Amino acid sequence: MLKVENLSTSYRTIDGDVRVLNRVNFQINENEIFGIAGESGCGKTTLLKVLYDIIDFPLQVDEGRVVLSVKKNGGTVDFETGRIRNAWWKHISYVPQAAQSVLNPITRLKTQFLDSIPEEYRKNETKQQTLDRVAHYLEELSLSPDILEAYPFQLSGGMRQRAIIALATFMSPSVVLADEPTTALDVVVQRGILMMLMRLQRKLKNTLVLVSHDIGVHYQITHRMGIMYSGSLVELGKTADLFREPLHPYTKLLIEALPRIGDKRPRTGIPGRPPALTNPPDGCRFAPRCPYATEMCRKHVPEFREAQPGRFVACHLVQEEASENVR
């Protein structure tokens, strides 16, 4: 469905190029909810932008590619990096971070819906017929069609977020990319947004890629997830497996920091801070913060490879243990 092959990207700055994504490899399957987690600044949003083909200055792709495969006319059509834009809205859509701010505040929602729907998708309908279809879709999502007559500033943050999600999914795309869709919303509204995304994924039977720094959100709704650190994937697998038995030390520390009902032990954050992307350390980038780091970790970059069936990890210690078990 969506394949990322040896992807490296950087941002151009006056001091030179800054590498943000570093040889990222993974695949997202059809009809699944895939989560991407990690601390702020680890490259999650940049990855989502490249998946959606928003590669504008100063962002650039240094190597690798993204391949979107969609079913069409009984076969499969591939859209690669640079051509994924041709599949926008119909095959892939994007709910950006702080989506409440992307709506035009001085244009009614009905006009923004009409502007986003390609002419060929409207099937020679009149504008009113298209709006009738939009209104029916909003009702299916438990939204009042009355919001079409409203300006964005007349709606609450939660309502604007729901409207953006409705806009992104109206044409039943095969893939929906959602970047921090619950940011700046209260807990009750967050749950409503997440439930809405889950219902839509089941209804459309499409693929949802969810980015969130809140690892608890991933536990609630994702099927598989990848953990990012300093521009690289460090672990990937089924969400239930990652929470039951995290392999990478970074994943373990993230999960241990989560509060649990009935557990009154104090929670502590991960010591230290992520390295500056302008001057990353040698070897494993997590080594300066890792309680298990060895000299090998500080000198050699671990490969991201399969340690268990369906479980991929970039950690010398885990891979060494896996090799010993094979022997």
Side-chain angles (χ1 to χ4, degrees), residues 10-256:
S10 60
Y11 285 100
R12 291 184 176 182
T13 73
I14 58 174
D15 296 320
D17 294 350
V18 178
R19 178 67 64 89
V20 178
L21 298 179
N22 190 36
R23 296 188 178 89
V24 177
N25 288 277
F26 67 100
Q27 181 171 321
I28 300 172
N29 302 320
E30 185 177 0
N31 191 21
E32 78 167 344
I33 302 178
F34 184 86
I36 302 173
E39 292 171 289
S40 296
C42 68
K44 302 186 300 296
T45 293
T46 297
L47 175 58
L48 224 60
K49 286 183 176 180
V50 178
L51 292 182
Y52 197 55
D53 218 9
I54 306 177
I55 307 169
D56 300 320
F57 183 84
L59 177 63
Q60 61 185 8
V61 174
D62 300 321
E63 62 177 316
R65 63 175 185 166
V66 176
V67 181
L68 169 67
S69 299
V70 299
K71 294 177 180 178
K72 189 175 181 180
N73 300 326
T76 302
V77 178
D78 289 344
F79 296 89
E80 295 187 16
T81 300
R83 293 182 54 245
I84 293 176
R85 291 182 178 224
N86 299 331
W88 280 4
W89 298 98
K90 188 172 183 180
H91 298 298
I92 185 170
S93 63
Y94 181 43
V95 179
Q97 194 169 18
Q100 303 98 316
S101 302
V102 304
L103 294 169
N104 188 332
I106 58 172
T107 304
R108 295 184 191 274
L109 283 180
K110 66 179 182 181
T111 302
Q112 300 190 51
F113 267 90
L114 288 173
D115 289 345
S116 69
I117 302 171
E119 195 67 37
E120 62 269 20
Y121 187 80
R122 289 168 58 178
K123 306 172 185 176
N124 298 317
E125 295 174 327
T126 65
K127 288 184 177 180
Q128 187 55 52
Q129 288 172 326
T130 301
L131 285 174
D132 288 342
R133 281 205 296 139
V134 172
H136 178 69
Y137 184 67
L138 292 176
E139 287 180 330
E140 289 181 351
L141 300 181
S142 301
L143 290 170
S144 171
D146 293 341
I147 68 171
L148 292 173
E149 295 295 334
Y151 292 96
F153 67 82
Q154 294 176 308
L155 304 177
S156 66
M159 288 298 291
R160 289 198 298 270
Q161 186 72 301
R162 288 181 172 90
I164 282 287
I165 293 171
L167 187 63
T169 58
F170 177 66
M171 287 182 280
S172 303
S174 305
V175 179
V176 176
L177 309 174
D179 188 5
E180 302 278 6
T182 58
T183 296
L185 301 174
D186 64 62
V187 175
V188 175
V189 176
Q190 283 184 20
R191 178 173 175 79
I193 296 294
L194 293 174
M195 295 302 104
M196 179 181 182
L197 287 169
M198 290 177 67
R199 289 197 305 272
L200 277 169
Q201 193 272 333
R202 294 193 195 104
K203 176 178 180 290
L204 301 176
K205 292 183 171 56
N206 62 4
T207 297
L208 171 63
V209 182
L210 176 69
V211 164
S212 177
H213 65 274
D214 186 346
I215 198 169
V217 168
H218 294 286
Y219 180 75
Q220 293 179 63
I221 73 170
T222 63
H223 303 138
R224 289 193 309 141
M225 64 183 297
I227 306 294
M228 289 192 71
Y229 185 79
S230 189
S232 300
L233 274 176
V234 295
E235 186 165 357
L236 184 150
K238 291 182 178 179
T239 302
D241 292 341
L242 261 68
F243 274 83
R244 183 177 63 253
E245 184 189 7
L247 299 180
H248 196 281
Y250 179 59
T251 310
K252 291 180 182 178
L253 291 171
L254 282 178
I255 293 174
E256 286 173 0

Side-chain angles (χ1 to χ4, degrees), residues 284-320:
C284 174
R285 293 187 178 184
F286 187 61
R289 306 173 71 188
C290 180
Y292 312 105
T294 65
E295 198 61 28
M296 175 181 284
C297 301
R298 298 184 182 91
K299 290 183 177 180
H300 302 285
V301 178
E303 292 183 32
F304 184 68
R305 63 189 188 194
E306 194 169 23
Q308 298 176 7
R311 297 288 300 277
F312 295 82
V313 66
C315 178
H316 291 300
L317 299 178
V318 173
Q319 291 163 2
E320 184 179 329

